[in-house]
Amino acid sequence: MFRLLIIFGIIFNIVSFFYTGFSFFILIFNLSFLVILYLYREKRVSDSLKENNTDIIKDDSISNYELQEFFLSQLREIIIVTNKFNVVTYANEAANIFFGKSLLAQNISSELRIPELLDSIDQVRELEKIINIDIELKVPVYKFLKVDVIPAKQQNIIIIIRDHTEIKKSQDLRSDFVANVSHELKTPLSSIRGFLETITTSAKDDPKMQKKFIEIMQQQAEKMQILIDDLMTLSRIEQQEHIKPKNNIILNNVILEAINNYKDTKNRISIKFNIPNKNILIKGDKEKLLVAFKNILDNAIKYGANKSITVNLESFDSKISLSIIDQGIGISQKDILRITERFYRSDNAKKLKIDGTGIGLSIVKHIINQHGAELKIHSVEGKGSNFTIEFAQL
Ligand code: ADP
């Protein structure tokens, strides 16, 4: 509206300037009118802004203290403030949850028995500078904490604790993995290099020895190839674990296809199977399930002491159960807890020098997780093992 008035004013100004025969008096008069109009508009705008802001401030019933309190309670970091007597004057919600109790008004030295933290508090008071420390708690459960101890006014201390347990675990897992892979590849590689040297030096003129060593080198190269293939499968399957299978598949056919792979093997171990005629449907990824079933069957043959293997597929009201049972060397209770970890091999398998990478069952575990299924292992040493996968009914 004001904008229109001003534009109209300018046009009126120009017209009247020409019409009155270029009278400067009229021009000055009109221009003053425009300036007054403009200043009046500015005042109206600023008054209205002030009015609105006062409304916002009036409406806002949260005080600054409440806002800070809310902000601190939402933080994932644990924040504790102690006074110069080491009495806790503030602990946020994360602190109460982490330590499982309220620390407020308690003496930190008696409440938290973490010597590294208490020493750092004393040092910070003395040196009046920030100290950053890493703390590993072993009991009741393993925790890895990154802690900042900060001096504040009047010998108060602010403690900020970040729980880095999961980050530390995955870092450790990664470095263990690299160490394991390097170790597993190094052994066959050094053996190949050793034999290569022998056939080019001392066995240079001995075709019989050369033939024998070349065979060993071939076996070692094959071992390396199996390990690399297993690692690549593991990495692919790990990456896809979160993708839930959408296709309906007939479980009877997948397990029969896996069993058929062993028809022509040299190992003539008999596989008995009880698979119902009625189709059992699940949501699944056929190729991945084939990998999982083959890995368990491979193990049943490898650790099965040349005795027959039984495969049972059953469908109950609430679940579908697939069991692969062997009568082989078995697994100790201590090893059962760990055999699905990457690279873990049971003492029995190592003692009997049965070849393996320790990767197969970790691949199985990821595939089973992806299918929302469950792997149950029962075993008696010297009697055999039962690997059962339980799927939910569709
Ligand atoms: P590997 O290549 O060593 O067979 P897996 O991950 O498939 O690796 O299995 C891990 C370990 O679990 C094996 O080294 C073996 O000690 C044990 N294991 C797996 N299946 C059986 C079984 N059917 N009988 C006895 N031990 C088994």
Side-chain angles (χ1 to χ4, degrees):
M1 178 65 188
F2 273 100
R3 218 172 273 163
L4 266 177
L5 268 173
I6 288 172
I7 292 168
F8 176 74
I10 292 170
I11 296 168
F12 176 73
N13 221 340
I14 296 167
V15 171
S16 60
F17 183 61
F18 284 107
Y19 191 73
T20 54
F22 309 106
S23 159
F24 275 101
F25 172 73
I26 295 288
L27 181 68
I28 299 296
F29 176 79
N30 285 344
L31 280 177
S32 325
F33 171 73
L34 279 178
V35 169
I36 289 167
L37 203 65
Y38 178 76
L39 289 177
Y40 178 68
R41 174 185 176 266
E42 285 291 292
K43 191 175 177 324
R44 283 279 304 267
V45 170
S46 92
D47 282 355
S48 102
L49 271 176
K50 261 187 213 154
E51 244 167 57
N52 286 342
N53 281 347
T54 336
D55 278 355
I56 290 168
I57 293 165
K58 265 191 226 150
D59 271 0
D60 189 2
S61 49
I62 303 172
S63 69
N64 271 351
Y65 173 77
E66 280 171 321
L67 213 60
Q68 280 169 17
E69 183 74 3
F70 175 73
F71 173 71
L72 290 171
S73 71
Q74 295 301 304
L75 286 182
R76 280 210 216 150
E77 280 85 359
I78 295 161
I79 298 177
I80 300 168
V81 181
T82 69
N83 64 13
K84 63 178 171 183
F85 304 110
N86 274 354
V87 172
V88 176
T89 51
Y90 177 81
N92 70 350
E93 190 55 24
N96 297 339
I97 293 171
F98 186 83
F99 293 107
K101 55 187 167 187
S102 168
L103 298 175
L104 202 64
Q106 306 295 326
N107 192 301
I108 198 161
S109 331
S110 50
E111 282 305 304
L112 304 184
R113 296 188 182 278
I114 309 174
E116 302 99 307
L117 176 64
L118 302 177
D119 288 350
S120 305
I121 293 175
D122 291 342
Q123 274 185 42
V124 166
R125 263 205 200 103
E126 206 181 302
L127 306 171
E128 290 195 352
K129 64 175 196 183
I130 300 175
I131 289 186
N132 316 103
I133 45 164
D134 292 346
I135 296 179
E136 279 186 89
L137 301 179
K138 300 267 160 51
V139 280
V141 278
Y142 177 80
K143 290 277 172 200
F144 182 82
L145 310 173
K146 289 227 163 259
V147 183
D148 300 338
V149 187
I150 305 164
K153 274 186 203 163
Q154 292 166 352
Q155 297 210 312
N156 282 298
I157 297 284
I158 301 168
I159 303 159
I160 302 176
I161 304 176
R162 296 174 191 88
D163 185 356
H164 273 224
T165 312
E166 290 312 312
I167 301 171
K168 176 81 165 61
K169 274 188 189 164
S170 75
Q171 276 169 353
D172 287 353
L173 213 68
R174 213 175 310 145
S175 49
D176 280 357
F177 180 70
V178 173
N180 273 320
V181 173
S182 321
H183 173 77
E184 295 296 324
L185 288 175
K186 221 171 146 188
T187 318
L189 193 64
S190 7
S191 140
I192 292 174
R193 288 182 63 175
F195 285 116
L196 262 177
E197 203 184 309
T198 319
I199 56 171
T200 50
T201 53
S202 53
K204 203 165 59 168
D205 303 316
D206 187 344
K208 226 171 145 189
M209 287 305 264
Q210 280 185 349
K211 188 171 175 275
K212 190 178 160 203
F213 291 159
I214 287 172
E215 268 171 23
I216 300 175
M217 287 195 305
Q218 269 171 342
Q219 284 165 7
Q220 297 297 333
E222 215 164 284
K223 258 192 185 180
M224 289 170 80
Q225 184 67 56
I226 293 173
L227 177 63
I228 290 166
D229 289 348
D230 273 359
L231 287 172
M232 288 178 73
T233 312
L234 178 66
S235 134
R236 180 172 52 87
I237 281 169
E238 259 184 339
Q239 277 169 16
Q240 296 170 356
E241 190 176 318
H242 64 282
I243 306 169
K244 297 289 161 222
K246 290 196 181 78
N247 293 341
N248 283 348
I249 55 163
I250 301 169
L251 200 53
N252 319 46
N253 296 347
V254 187
I255 185 67
L256 279 172
E257 194 174 326
I259 293 170
N260 277 338
N261 268 291
Y262 300 90
K263 252 186 179 170
D264 305 320
T265 48
K266 287 171 231 148
N267 276 304
R268 292 261 160 234
I269 291 177
S270 86
I271 303 181
K272 299 175 190 157
F273 50 88
N274 307 306
I275 294 175
N277 291 329
K278 188 172 169 252
N279 284 346
I280 297 177
L281 283 176
I282 60 160
K283 288 243 179 275
D285 179 325
K286 186 188 155 198
E287 294 313 316
K288 295 222 179 84
L289 285 177
L290 269 176
V291 172
F293 299 160
K294 279 188 206 159
N295 280 354
I296 301 177
L297 282 165
D298 275 346
N299 284 345
I301 293 169
K302 206 160 60 167
Y303 304 106
N306 288 322
K307 294 187 186 143
S308 68
I309 294 163
T310 310
V311 178
N312 294 327
L313 177 63
E314 290 165 286
S315 172
F316 303 99
D317 287 345
S318 61
K319 59 179 190 252
I320 295 156
S321 154
L322 171 72
S323 305
I324 298 172
I325 306 157
D326 67 62
Q327 307 172 64
I329 62 171
I331 312 159
S332 71
Q333 295 310 303
K334 156 181 105 44
D335 286 333
I336 285 184
L337 301 173
R338 300 200 52 194
I339 53 168
T340 55
E341 287 174 22
R342 294 187 275 199
F343 294 107
Y344 191 85
R345 307 204 65 221
S346 75
D347 290 340
N348 284 348
K350 284 189 272 187
K351 240 185 270 161
L352 295 169
K353 294 204 167 33
I354 303 175
D355 267 350
T357 59
I359 304 279
L361 285 184
S362 46
I363 294 176
V364 171
K365 186 181 71 185
H366 287 295
I367 296 174
I368 287 176
N369 286 346
Q370 187 191 12
H371 283 77
E374 201 182 340
L375 175 68
K376 292 183 172 168
I377 308 169
H378 295 285
S379 188
V380 179
E381 280 184 278
K383 291 233 154 47
S385 310
N386 177 337
F387 285 74
T388 298
I389 306 173
E390 285 182 358
F391 296 92
Q393 285 280 12
L394 259 190

